[in-house]
Amino acid sequence: MQHFYVWNFNKGKKIFFIVSLALITALILSFEPARLFSTFSTDQTTALTKGNVNENKLSLTFNISWGEEKVYDILQVLKDQKIRATFFVSGEWAERHPQIMEEITKQQHEVGMLGYRYKSYLDQDIDQVKKDILHAKEVFKRLGFKEMKYIRPPSGHFDKEIIALAEQLELEVIHWSVNPNDWKNPGVNEISSMVVENASGGDIILLHASDSAKQTAESLQTILPNLQKRKLSFVTISELLTEVIANEKLVE
């Protein structure tokens, strides 16, 4: 015998239910977008914010658009810990620091781009954005990076139109899911705690290697061993994306 359950509401209960439902919906929508799981899909234009949450792998990423000192400290820590990361670099900076670019690739880190000039894409019309991206691709090509796969829009500012343009130019937009705002230099303990307490499998961690990030290298000394103690391993964006695609195939 089938049983059907019907909720009976008097007028007061109906109002209470509607208000409660609205509050719950608002709470769900208020979550920071960067914490949502997004991946590339043929059905919907999106950015990669997080990888496969069922794997114990995460990506360490660094933005760099100016300065030439702090990046060496960060590269040394990564070398000592035998960890590969993904560096998102502006074309303008790469053009000025070819030797540092060589050192990044020598240590087998992955390179993505921040466009050419580090200026919000939402402050430019789409034609200007296209020119910026194409110019960046040419610069990286001259520097020996013939096939750039990934772009992180400056300041993480993008919309569907920008993502669609990137895909048209054969680039995948990479965002992040953990951001300790290390460039504000809130303190080594605060940066370390924020990452260690919030990072888990599939996460993309945003850090900076520009000279403004004065506490990042020291913070890594705490972040890296603590995450490794939790059996988390660090992979490049390409490796993280491979896990996402494999997971999608399993779902299909």
Side-chain angles (χ1 to χ4, degrees), residues 38-39 46 50 53 74 86 140 181 188 196 205 227 235 239:
S38 304
T39 186
T46 56
K50 193 164 183 171
V53 298
I74 288 168
T86 301
F140 283 106
N181 290 308
V188 171
V196 172
I205 301 170
L227 292 181
V235 298
E239 293 169 309

Side-chain angles (χ1 to χ4, degrees), residues 63-77:
N63 284 7
I64 180 165
S65 58
W66 72 276
E68 55 185 28
E69 296 179 5
K70 297 302 178 184
V71 63
Y72 283 110
D73 296 334
I74 288 168
L75 285 171
Q76 187 61 53
V77 175

Side-chain angles (χ1 to χ4, degrees), residues 55-60 82-84 200-203 205 224 227-236 239-240 243:
E55 294 290 333
N56 64 343
K57 298 175 183 178
L58 43 70
S59 282
L60 200 60
K82 296 181 174 59
I83 287 172
R84 294 174 64 207
S200 58
D203 272 321
I205 301 170
L224 301 181
L227 292 181
Q228 288 174 321
K229 283 179 184 177
R230 289 163 48 192
K231 308 300 181 185
L232 292 167
S233 59
F234 299 93
V235 298
T236 63
E239 293 169 309
L240 193 73
E243 293 290 342

Side-chain angles (χ1 to χ4, degrees), residues 12-30:
K13 287 183 178 179
K14 282 183 179 178
I15 293 173
F16 175 79
F17 176 77
I18 292 170
V19 171
S20 298
L21 185 61
L23 287 173
I24 292 170
T25 302
L27 182 62
I28 292 170
L29 292 175
S30 69

Side-chain angles (χ1 to χ4, degrees), residues 85-154:
T86 301
F87 284 79
F88 287 90
V89 181
S90 71
E92 189 174 33
W93 183 88
E95 209 169 27
R96 293 176 180 175
H97 301 92
Q99 291 182 331
I100 302 179
M101 293 299 297
E102 286 181 14
E103 185 63 29
I104 289 172
T105 54
K106 180 182 177 182
Q107 293 190 22
Q108 298 185 324
H109 297 298
E110 187 170 51
V111 175
M113 65 183 192
L114 295 168
Y116 180 75
R117 184 166 285 109
Y118 197 82
K119 179 182 177 182
S120 173
Y121 283 167
L122 296 182
D123 293 336
Q124 306 176 57
D125 64 46
I126 199 65
D127 289 335
Q128 289 176 310
V129 173
K130 185 175 183 179
K131 288 179 182 178
D132 181 86
I133 294 175
L134 289 174
H135 185 33
K137 290 185 77 171
E138 283 300 316
V139 167
F140 283 106
K141 187 175 181 180
R142 288 200 302 270
L143 291 172
F145 299 88
K146 295 180 180 180
E147 187 182 355
M148 297 299 288
K149 298 179 181 178
Y150 309 117
I151 183 168
R152 175 173 280 166

